[in-house]
Amino acid sequence: VNGTLLPPAVIVQDVDGSMDNGVVSHEYGHGVSNRLTGGPNNSNCLNNGEQGGEGWSDWFALMYTIEPGDSGSMARGMGTYAIGEPVNGSGIRRYPYSTNMSINPQTYADLAVSSEVHDIGEIWCVTLWDLTWALIGQYGFDPDWINGTAGNNIAMHLVMEGMKLQPC
């Protein structure tokens, strides 16, 4: 103001879902899964509460925000920036994603007590997250999404090809 800097307490940060890399990547994931599931001429396959779209979308958000040095046991919340939490907060899901069962204890058995689409999606995402880190553990991590051949690249390839192959 008048050529002077505002004190840090006065600076207001624009916290919004459109500024959250996880939220943006999650929404992108819906476009991918809707386009690929059921074939190119059927974008309405994922229309019931038991479909995997929310899980794939969370998984895309996790995948596109992995950095060298990360590990599967780290807590990774979904939508944390949008609600003002650190990246390892719970975010907008019941638990942060992690391969560490003391951080995220969900298993396939939790589907029996999960009726909301995001809750069901969490189970699918944590399953894919476990797969991803098992592949990274065996084949390593490569930040090159175009030419890479490491475990994260293999996981991405498997999920994308799986969506192309599955019927409605």
Side-chain angles (χ1 to χ4, degrees), residues 6-168:
L6 294 173
V10 178
I11 298 172
V12 177
Q13 185 175 2
D14 185 19
V15 178
D16 182 88
S18 61
M19 302 294 228
D20 188 314
N21 288 338
V23 172
V24 173
S25 296
H26 172 98
E27 297 306 329
Y28 162 80
H30 285 303
V32 172
S33 63
N34 285 335
R35 173 70 174 82
L36 295 181
T37 299
N41 295 321
N42 194 357
S43 63
N44 292 322
C45 282
L46 303 177
N47 60 8
N48 67 57
E50 296 179 353
Q51 50 85 11
E54 294 300 333
W56 284 312
S57 290
D58 277 4
W59 181 78
F60 277 120
L62 293 171
M63 290 295 284
Y64 287 129
T65 56
I66 293 177
E67 296 179 348
D70 285 356
S71 71
S73 63
M74 296 170 64
R76 299 278 309 279
M78 187 58 49
T80 53
Y81 178 83
I83 62 172
E85 288 185 354
V87 71
N88 63 347
S90 293
I92 57 175
R93 301 292 180 248
R94 292 177 286 184
Y95 300 94
Y97 290 107
S98 175
T99 59
N100 182 336
M101 295 291 286
S102 67
I103 294 172
N104 188 324
Q106 296 181 102
T107 67
Y108 190 74
D110 289 301
L111 281 176
V113 294
S114 300
S115 58
E116 197 269 331
V117 293
H118 295 92
D119 292 351
I120 292 168
E122 289 176 29
I123 308 303
W124 183 229
C125 180
V126 80
T127 302
L128 293 173
W129 198 231
D130 285 347
L131 166 72
T132 298
W133 283 100
L135 289 167
I136 291 171
Q138 186 164 355
Y139 301 105
F141 174 79
D142 189 336
D144 182 348
W145 286 105
I146 306 300
N147 301 305
T149 58
N152 56 309
N153 307 103
I154 295 168
M156 182 64 74
H157 179 78
L158 289 172
V159 170
M160 296 292 275
E161 293 303 311
M163 280 191 249
K164 292 176 190 176
L165 292 172
Q166 73 182 352
C168 287

Side-chain angles (χ1 to χ4, degrees), residues 1-7:
V1 181
N2 297 330
T4 62
L5 293 176
L6 294 173

